[in-house]
């Protein structure tokens, strides 16, 4: 892909480092590109060296994650699977604020767990952007924040974050999902 050809020097430099690597496994990552990155960054297939971060957006997990899981299973690779439910769900509000919908974040996390359950693999983690502050940067959640609320406490200089209430609500929903899967 374009990235591999333009980033070859950086990828080869990374190989020489003894670091853990995070690879974003989004919709455009092909089987061949994934395998090439894994071969360069982790030729010895060391457990714990590679984390694949799935970031595709709500409603798209079933379209993309299964093929990445199949590739990893077929090749016998060791990776940690992480869901980035934030970056694939960013949108612009009618007032121009960059925001995310709580229900989309929750949906992507739920789909991530469902795919892993269906494919016999294990979800390893979730990436969230959040704060303990009472900001109004993401819409939805039990406080029912909407686009008109964003101006009240939009404080992020970069990406919209879940506020304390939304983060806690998502933690409970994920906990319930995990408990339900364990019972099945």
């Amino acid at each position: 892909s374009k990235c591999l050809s333009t980033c070859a020097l950086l990828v080869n430099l990374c190989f020489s480092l003894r670091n853990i690597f995070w690879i974003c496994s989004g919709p455009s990552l092909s089987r061949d590109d994934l395998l090439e990155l894994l071969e360069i960054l982790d030729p010895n297939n060391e457990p714990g060296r590679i984390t694949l971060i799935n970031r595709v957006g709500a409603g798209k997990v079933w379209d993309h994650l299964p093929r990445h899981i199949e590739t990893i299973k077929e090749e016998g690779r060791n990776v940690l699977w992480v869901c980035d439910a934030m970056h694939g769900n960013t949108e612009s509000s009618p007032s121009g604020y960059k925001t995310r919908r709580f229900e989309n974040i929750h949906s992507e996390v739920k789909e991530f767990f469902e795919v892993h359950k269906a494919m016999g693999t294990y979800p390893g983690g979730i990436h969230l952007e959040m704060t303990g502050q009472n900001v109004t940067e993401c819409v939805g959640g039990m406080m029912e924040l909407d686009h008109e609320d964003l101006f009240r406490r939009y404080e992020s200089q970069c990406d919209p974050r879940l506020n304390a209430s939304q983060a806690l609500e998502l933690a409970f929903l994920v906990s319930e999902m995990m408990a339900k899967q364990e019972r099945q």
Side-chain angles (χ1 to χ4, degrees):
S1 91
K2 181 180 176 184
C3 177
L4 287 179
S5 62
T6 57
C7 300
L9 290 174
L10 181 58
V11 170
N12 283 312
L13 170 66
C14 290
F15 164 73
S16 67
L17 303 174
R18 294 298 314 149
N19 290 356
I20 295 169
F21 294 103
W22 290 46
I23 300 171
C24 290
S25 60
S28 64
L29 183 63
S30 72
R31 174 186 173 83
D32 291 342
D33 289 347
L34 175 57
L35 292 175
E36 185 176 350
L37 281 169
L38 292 173
E39 189 56 37
I40 292 168
L41 297 174
D42 187 22
N44 299 322
N45 198 22
E46 285 181 58
R49 182 137 162 111
I50 301 291
T51 297
L52 288 179
I53 306 169
N54 190 64
R55 54 167 24 173
V56 295
K60 299 175 187 167
V61 177
W62 282 97
D63 296 335
H64 302 288
L65 182 56
R67 67 184 166 87
H68 293 145
I69 292 174
E70 282 298 327
T71 297
I72 296 303
K73 287 172 82 171
E74 289 169 6
E75 297 295 321
R77 301 300 300 213
N78 293 303
V79 301
L80 175 68
W81 296 100
V82 170
C83 174
D84 175 353
M86 302 303 283
H87 290 92
N89 293 303
T90 305
E91 60 185 67
S92 292
S93 72
S95 59
Y97 283 100
K98 187 175 174 182
T99 190
R100 297 172 172 137
R101 295 178 188 272
F102 179 85
E103 58 269 14
N104 289 347
I105 295 165
H106 176 241
S107 178
E108 184 166 353
V109 171
K110 184 177 178 188
E111 292 168 40
F112 178 75
F113 277 82
E114 290 170 348
V115 168
H116 280 288
K117 180 168 178 58
M119 299 192 72
T121 52
Y122 299 96
I126 302 168
H127 164 82
L128 299 173
E129 293 175 1
M130 58 190 193
T131 178
Q133 303 301 310
N134 191 26
V135 298
T136 55
E137 298 170 0
C138 294
V139 297
M142 65 184 176
M143 293 176 57
E144 299 180 356
L145 294 176
D146 61 24
H147 292 286
E148 289 76 35
D149 295 313
L150 294 176
F151 79 94
R152 291 184 318 158
R153 294 228 25 220
Y154 197 99
E155 299 174 4
S156 177
Q157 299 300 310
C158 186
D159 289 331
R161 303 161 295 171
L162 296 169
N163 63 33
S165 173
Q166 292 166 325
L168 190 57
E169 180 179 357
L170 187 60
F172 279 114
L173 291 168
V174 169
S175 176
E176 289 171 6
M177 273 189 300
M178 292 174 68
K180 182 179 175 184
Q181 283 188 352
E182 284 182 18
R183 288 190 301 269
Q184 294 175 345

